[in-house]
Amino acid sequence: MTAQKPPKLDDESFELTRKGLSDEERTARLGELKEYLDYYQERFLGYQVNQDLNVIRDDLSPFLGVHTNNIGDPYVDSNLATHTKPLEKAVLKRYAELWGIRPHDPANNEQAWKSAWGYVLSMGSSEGNVYALLNARDYLSGKILLANPGADPGLLMSQAEVSAPYLNTPAKRANALQPVAFFSQDSHYSVAKAAHTLAIPTFGEVGNKYYSEFREFEDCGYEDCWPAEIPSNDDGSIDVDKLVTTVDFFARRGHPVLVVCNLGTTFKGAYDNVGEVARRLQDEVFDRYSMGQREFTVNTKSGTPVKDKRRAFWIHVDGALGASYLPYLKKAHDAGLLAGEDLEIPDFDFRVPQVSSIVTSGHKYPGSPWACGIYMTRREFQIQPPPMAAYVASPDTTFAGSRNGFSPIVLWNQLAKHPEEEQVRRVAESVNLARRTYERLKKIGEQRKLDLHAGYTPETLSVQFLRPNKHIVRKYSLASVPISETTTLCHLFVMPHVTEDGALKSLLDELETDDNAFETDGTGGHVAPPTAYQVSETAEWQALFGSNRGFV
């Protein structure tokens, strides 16, 4: 990798006028953009995105000349003929097989409601998290299911009534249609944003509003106030004991519960043990409070009540990073291809019967030039969609209207080009390289007599260390998180495009040999860069966005 001055993009160079640009000017500007992107793609280490995309450029560029749109349900044709739904259905079938659930087959009515349903997201997993929480809210609140043919899909959730043996007081019955959300402090910010957008209260909000005097009672043990999220362990995974006791507190008061688990947390790449979470909640909470088969009754406009039995819980798995490769990592673990044996890959998918939905990001793994992903749920949990728009001729069962038809081509090509054996090998190589990187960082810290706070959760792709100077951070696109007033950490992700040589070797060599790699205050103490909070207090930030940061 030859040394070169980092390229910059000048805002003024890309300004547009009514006259547009000449072919010469336009070509020059695009050349600048390509030079800029090529430089940082070659050194891309800090975010969980696979940059090994040459195969997509080589194989799929002919499809850029046509607009593809997968509007409506993936399993129903539409009047917009330039769609890619056959490829989308093939991708969904493969993910269903990976995640341990029967693929959806519209022709098989006998097994239809026990199969998977999903779609390819036009955004990343943030879209999938919003749609998962929307479906969870409506399911738990008693909205009509797709499995109830003929029912009015426009019924209000407030028209539902629910009964179960444990709902034996007016207070519990009043709570029975009010779901409460639970997620860990290491969850992606999109989970909290989705809950806020959909008006799903978190346990912290409900607890501080209605149960402030009980937070230390009944083994919850929170001091001062109910927290916003469930505490995490040191490795970034959710504290299962604390989750169970907290869910129990709200379940015994009649609330249905929405639990979000993580597979590959944003900073440490940790995996929540979804199987353990589900088993303990089932044994210690769901069974105790009759949460497996509550009966809902909705009074329809025709006067004929609709009844069905459903759960009072929804477990969603945010597998933005991990859900796409964990099936392969599990095979690599079982085959002894991993250097360490510290962590057994947890059960996380639809083989865990309590799991209701899963989301993953296709641009993280296996890789895509733009954000995309997969949302999948059990078809029996689908909510009735709005009435079908005649001009589309396909049910509006997805979150978006128009959906990107190119992403299914990308994901299909990735899965078709790289067989499972290769996927297992690639994931094992990435995890083993992450471990070696962590060991090298520890040695660099010993050599420099500097605490680099090197961290690594076994069998993940994330390695954490002390934030270097701003030039190194920018050069390698490193993400940073302050952990105290004086210390900020950053991380790198060993995605499949990262190899032993190249950008990773260049970064580690710089950290080892550059005397100015880590900023100091003259006494050996590390000077942390400004946090996001401090940046938001600057005059420039306030001029752009105002001083009120609003919901975070």
Side-chain angles (χ1 to χ4, degrees), residues 1 40-49 51 433 437 461-463 465 472-479 491-495 497-499 501-508:
M1 185 181 298
Y40 286 106
Q41 182 189 36
E42 187 180 358
R43 295 160 177 82
F44 194 90
L45 293 174
Y47 291 85
Q48 50 272 55
V49 173
Q51 292 279 7
L433 180 55
T437 301
L461 304 176
S462 174
V463 184
F465 54 98
I472 294 176
V473 168
R474 175 68 175 179
K475 181 177 180 180
Y476 297 99
S477 300
L478 302 178
H491 65 182
L492 61 85
F493 273 88
V494 183
M495 301 301 291
H497 73 275
V498 179
T499 62
D501 297 321
L504 181 59
K505 182 178 186 301
S506 175
L507 168 65
L508 295 175

Side-chain angles (χ1 to χ4, degrees), residues 117-154:
W117 181 89
Y119 72 99
V120 174
L121 304 164
S122 290
M123 295 161 45
S125 285
S126 294
E127 176 190 341
N129 285 334
V130 173
Y131 200 53
L133 267 63
L134 172 63
N135 278 269
R137 183 197 69 183
D138 289 354
Y139 175 89
L140 296 171
S141 301
K143 195 150 188 179
I144 293 292
L145 298 179
L146 188 63
N148 287 321
D152 182 354

Side-chain angles (χ1 to χ4, degrees), residues 400-418:
S402 290
R403 292 191 295 113
N404 171 7
F406 205 113
S407 292
I409 307 177
V410 171
L411 295 178
W412 180 91
N413 197 62
Q414 290 281 46
L415 294 171
K417 189 107 176 177
H418 304 292

Side-chain angles (χ1 to χ4, degrees), residues 12-65:
E12 294 182 0
S13 296
F14 292 89
E15 286 187 359
L16 297 169
T17 68
R18 289 178 296 173
K19 295 181 179 180
L21 298 175
S22 68
D23 287 346
E24 182 179 354
E25 291 173 321
R26 180 175 54 81
T27 301
R29 297 294 85 77
L30 290 175
E32 292 175 16
L33 177 62
K34 188 174 188 308
E35 179 186 4
Y36 173 87
L37 294 176
D38 285 349
Y39 178 90
Y40 286 106
Q41 182 189 36
E42 187 180 358
R43 295 160 177 82
F44 194 90
L45 293 174
Y47 291 85
Q48 50 272 55
V49 173
N50 184 13
Q51 292 279 7
D52 184 11
L53 302 175
N54 289 338
V55 65
I56 295 172
R57 178 194 61 202
D58 296 341
D59 290 355
L60 305 184
S61 57
F63 298 99
L64 288 171

Side-chain angles (χ1 to χ4, degrees), residues 17 59 68 235 295-296 505 533 551:
T17 68
D59 290 355
T68 53
D235 66 356
E295 184 174 84
F296 280 77
K505 182 178 186 301
Y533 181 89
F551 179 80

Side-chain angles (χ1 to χ4, degrees), residues 69-242:
N69 192 321
N70 285 12
I71 192 168
D73 192 286
Y75 299 95
V76 181
D77 204 351
S78 74
N79 290 336
L80 201 162
T82 56
H83 64 72
T84 62
K85 290 185 178 183
L87 286 79
E88 182 176 21
K89 287 184 285 188
V91 169
L92 294 170
K93 180 178 180 181
R94 182 67 188 122
Y95 272 90
E97 293 167 345
L98 286 172
W99 291 344
I101 189 171
R102 184 190 303 274
H104 179 49
D105 179 4
N108 188 345
N109 293 326
E110 184 178 346
Q111 298 292 338
W113 299 111
K114 296 300 180 182
S115 65
W117 181 89
Y119 72 99
V120 174
L121 304 164
S122 290
M123 295 161 45
S125 285
S126 294
E127 176 190 341
N129 285 334
V130 173
Y131 200 53
L133 267 63
L134 172 63
N135 278 269
R137 183 197 69 183
D138 289 354
Y139 175 89
L140 296 171
S141 301
K143 195 150 188 179
I144 293 292
L145 298 179
L146 188 63
N148 287 321
D152 182 354
L155 288 170
L156 299 176
M157 288 176 284
S158 60
Q159 292 176 285
E161 296 178 1
V162 60
S163 62
Y166 190 75
L167 300 175
N168 52 12
T169 68
K172 291 177 182 178
R173 287 193 291 272
N175 292 336
L177 295 173
Q178 302 298 320
V180 176
F182 303 81
F183 46 87
S184 80
Q185 65 187 70
D186 279 69
S187 295
H188 191 261
Y189 63 84
S190 68
V191 176
K193 182 169 65 174
H196 175 76
T197 301
L198 297 166
I200 303 171
T202 66
F203 75 93
E205 292 169 334
V206 176
N208 286 317
K209 186 173 183 179
Y210 297 108
Y211 307 118
S212 59
E213 70 275 24
F214 293 117
R215 61 179 174 270
E216 293 186 71
F217 187 57
E218 303 176 15
D219 299 324
C220 281
Y222 296 116
E223 298 179 359
D224 299 324
C225 65
W226 290 89
E229 305 101 356
I230 299 293
S232 296
N233 299 314
D234 290 341
D235 66 356
S237 63
I238 196 167
D239 184 329
V240 180
D241 289 336
K242 186 65 73 174

